Amino acid sequence: MAEISNIKVNPQIDASWLEILKEEFEKEYFKKLKLFLMHEKSGSIPIYPPGNLIFNAFNLCPFDQVRVVILGQDPYHGPNQAHGLCFSVGEGVPQPPSLQNIFKEIQSDLGLPTPSHGSLDKWAKQGVLLLNSSLTVRQHQPGSHAGQGWEQFTDAVVKVISEKKENVVFILWGSPAQKKGQVVNAKKHLVLKAPHPSPLSSYRGFFGCRHFSKTNEYLKLHNLPVIDWQI
């Protein structure tokens, strides 16, 4: 872990990411974002995830280990839900509907049983970067931290992965993720697109997309370790 100066909301991020993103942390927008987060943290409305988990996706999946990127939007905004990984909830927390649909597709695609919990830590530790577009949110106020700088930061994350790595699988569910993924160089990475797993859109093509088996087929083709999707 390494320190991001003056960010009291979460002082630590994996050293590999700190090195690769050091220019972002020094930019004016990120300084304003830190001030915004410190102001939000001092208010009466809780923000999620807890400060020590804001960069959890990066700490569980160092830059050199990234093989798959799954893009989400906002962290979950209910108590005890968000823990820094998109779509994931901690053990003991009920699985949100989109995550339930993800597990249904895995069962259909790979024949794996439905997990008893919703923590995707195991994926992250295998090289799956579970990245939300915005890394924080106010309790019960979805989108409340949009437009404060997180999107610029996570755009930079997607861009640097595309530029500096090869043969990464980018999984883009829903139009916001697909728009964010437009910077990905599809000539040297695999880009998989489908509707969002939300109950509102999952039946429009998310079910049956087979992104989990397609990911492993691509990794195997490039002599990379496959992902064990079983939670």
Side-chain angles (χ1 to χ4, degrees):
M1 304 290 182
E3 197 168 302
I4 301 174
S5 61
N6 300 324
I7 183 164
K8 297 177 181 179
V9 178
N10 178 9
Q12 292 186 320
I13 187 171
D14 178 83
S16 67
W17 285 108
L18 185 66
E19 175 63 24
I20 211 81
L21 296 168
K22 58 185 178 182
E23 291 184 4
E24 295 302 311
F25 295 129
E26 295 167 0
K27 289 181 179 177
E28 192 62 30
Y29 85 87
F30 198 85
K31 294 175 183 177
K32 291 180 179 178
L33 172 61
K34 288 189 288 185
L35 291 174
F36 169 76
L37 292 174
M38 285 187 276
H39 180 266
E40 287 285 283
K41 191 180 179 187
S42 67
S44 60
I45 302 174
I47 68 171
Y48 301 130
N52 65 316
L53 295 177
I54 290 174
F55 294 105
N56 197 26
F58 301 90
N59 292 333
L60 292 180
C61 183
F63 179 77
D64 61 349
Q65 295 179 21
V66 174
R67 284 180 283 150
V68 180
V69 178
I70 298 179
L71 295 182
Q73 288 178 258
D74 245 10
Y76 294 122
H77 53 82
N80 303 315
Q81 288 185 305
H83 69 131
L85 307 178
C86 71
F87 295 107
S88 178
V89 292
E91 293 192 34
V93 178
Q95 298 173 9
S98 292
L99 184 57
Q100 292 178 26
N101 285 340
I102 290 170
F103 289 151
K104 287 178 183 176
E105 175 59 21
I106 290 175
Q107 184 177 36
S108 172
D109 186 12
L110 301 174
L112 298 176
T114 301
S116 60
H117 62 84
S119 173
L120 305 181
D121 280 20
K122 182 180 175 183
W123 293 1
K125 292 174 182 177
Q126 295 179 76
V128 181
L129 182 67
L130 295 157
L131 181 67
N132 275 315
S133 181
S134 180
L135 300 190
T136 56
V137 69
R138 281 189 213 122
Q139 178 177 276
H140 302 318
Q141 296 182 34
S144 51
H145 285 187
Q148 298 295 334
W150 278 131
E151 294 89 349
Q152 188 172 342
F153 175 73
T154 51
D155 282 350
V157 172
V158 174
K159 186 176 181 181
V160 77
I161 293 170
S162 177
E163 290 178 349
K164 293 185 176 293
K165 298 182 74 73
E166 294 184 357
N167 303 323
V168 173
V169 182
F170 288 83
I171 297 178
L172 311 177
W173 295 327
S175 56
Q178 290 164 20
K179 183 178 180 182
K180 197 172 190 70
Q182 287 177 349
V183 298
V184 175
N185 183 346
K187 293 181 179 180
K188 64 173 185 171
H189 303 289
L190 176 64
V191 178
L192 297 174
K193 300 178 182 180
H196 195 275
S198 159
L200 297 174
S201 56
S202 56
Y203 288 95
R204 298 176 190 159
F206 173 76
F207 289 132
C209 70
R210 298 186 62 244
H211 281 181
F212 304 96
S213 61
K214 289 177 180 178
T215 293
N216 281 349
E217 288 166 5
Y218 180 84
L219 293 173
K220 191 181 295 183
L221 181 66
H222 291 88
N223 298 312
L224 295 167
V226 299
I227 305 298
D228 178 6
W229 297 108
Q230 176 65 62
I231 298 299

